[in-house]
Amino acid sequence: MVLTGAGISAESGIPTFRGAGGLWRNFRPEELATPEAFARDPKLVREWYQWRRGVVREAQPNAGHVALAELERRVPEYLLVTQNVDNLHERAGSSKVTHLHGSIFIDRCIECGREMSPVPEEHCACGGWLRPGVVWFGEPLPEAAWQEAAAAAQCEVLLVVGTSALVYPAAALIPQAQACGAKVIEVNLEETRVSDAVDVSLRGPSARILPELL
Ligand code: BV8
């Protein structure tokens, strides 16, 4: 199993959640990625997602995304679990991907629940506000995605790439895999709260290290 976070997309020019450059109009992502922020100012939150959609559309998958797509072709039992809401894993060729936190390329009506590809309109035909199809802080993860990830965590090797391992329950997959006897390899620019607990912690940019690992 592979668990990725915002760090794997950093070298594609997509700001991470907690690193430098993650701000938008001086708002921190945690302030905007909540149901309360959307309820308070849906226009502002929608603008932030429209901006992020543009950044992702402009971005290209990097060598790290490509290496994971190749790894999938070589490993018979494999699942890529991502916390990211961008589509760079899929654009790099990964097909066995589970999004724990949803996708930025879905709009969902808060009234009728209809889902659609992102539209410029702010409201659904039924009049309800359109929100992005992502999991905000305080919202439960999609049950199916979580179950898939929890099952895949019973693995021989867990590769953890570009995550600060701060957000739960995604971060809980790491000790869960270890409890099942998995060897855990971390790839991160910096030391994280799990670096001491994993079996191997490789320090450096994932776009360089993942091709080397492959
Ligand atoms: C839930 C989608 C319950 C939106 C995101 C206290 C303790 C435990 C938990 C909690 C707590 N208080 C609150 C909680 C719960 C909360 C949580 O975990 N909060 C954290 C902040 C403490 N979790 C939730 O709310 C979750 N839901 O618990 O629901 C529930 C149950 C039933 C019913 C009702 C409720 C929902 C969490 C999902 C939130 N949504 N994203 C959007 O994107 O707009 S999370 C967001 O953070 C992104 O998805 C991101 O992926 C994720 C994790 O962050 P990282 O990916 O790790 O990114 P970060 O910037 O932190 O780190 C980047 C890393 O990359 C760094 O380590 C850096 O060194 C490294 N890096 C940078 N460049 C590179 C690199 N590495 C390699 N190469 C490079 N080039």
Side-chain angles (χ1 to χ4, degrees):
M1 174 173 147
V2 181
L3 175 65
T4 60
I8 195 166
S9 296
E11 289 164 275
S12 296
I14 297 176
T16 62
F17 252 66
R18 291 165 191 84
L23 292 183
W24 175 78
R25 293 193 198 165
N26 293 327
F27 289 103
R28 286 186 310 109
E30 287 94 334
E31 292 171 285
L32 294 175
T34 68
E36 294 77 20
F38 187 75
R40 193 171 48 247
D41 192 342
K43 270 177 94 67
L44 177 76
V45 173
R46 268 192 69 78
E47 262 185 74
W48 179 48
Y49 281 93
Q50 294 293 61
W51 173 76
R52 289 175 65 191
R53 285 164 176 159
V55 171
V56 173
R57 286 194 185 100
E58 291 299 306
Q60 292 303 319
N62 62 58
H65 297 105
V66 174
L68 291 183
E70 175 56 31
L71 187 64
E72 172 186 320
R73 288 188 278 272
R74 296 189 191 175
V75 175
E77 287 185 73
Y78 172 99
L79 182 65
L80 168 54
V81 175
T82 187
Q83 299 171 85
N84 300 341
V85 295
D86 65 49
N87 59 356
L88 296 185
H89 284 306
E90 290 85 351
R91 284 166 54 193
S94 285
S95 59
K96 297 176 183 171
V97 184
T98 295
H99 283 263
L100 291 180
H101 299 156
S103 165
I104 201 168
F105 290 112
I106 292 170
D107 264 339
R108 184 171 69 237
C109 175
I110 60 170
E111 298 300 332
C112 71
R114 224 154 62 87
E115 294 200 341
M116 62 198 83
S117 297
V119 292
E121 290 75 30
E122 294 173 338
H123 293 87
C124 170
C126 82
W129 271 99
L130 290 172
R131 61 162 285 173
V134 300
V135 180
W136 280 328
F137 288 100
E139 295 185 323
L141 273 55
E143 189 54 35
W146 177 251
Q147 291 306 328
E148 247 189 319
Q154 297 171 49
C155 57
E156 290 169 290
V157 178
L158 169 63
L159 181 55
V160 182
V161 184
T163 183
S164 57
L166 287 172
V167 173
Y168 286 79
L173 291 166
I174 301 167
Q176 271 179 26
Q178 286 186 299
C180 298
K183 286 281 180 261
V184 182
I185 304 168
E186 179 189 39
V187 175
N188 200 305
L189 272 185
E190 298 163 358
E191 182 152 346
T192 68
R193 58 175 25 190
V194 299
S195 297
D196 289 341
V198 300
D199 298 278
V200 178
S201 187
L202 301 173
R203 194 69 62 248
S206 47
R208 174 171 63 74
I209 291 193
L210 289 177
E212 285 174 1
L213 260 185
L214 195 68

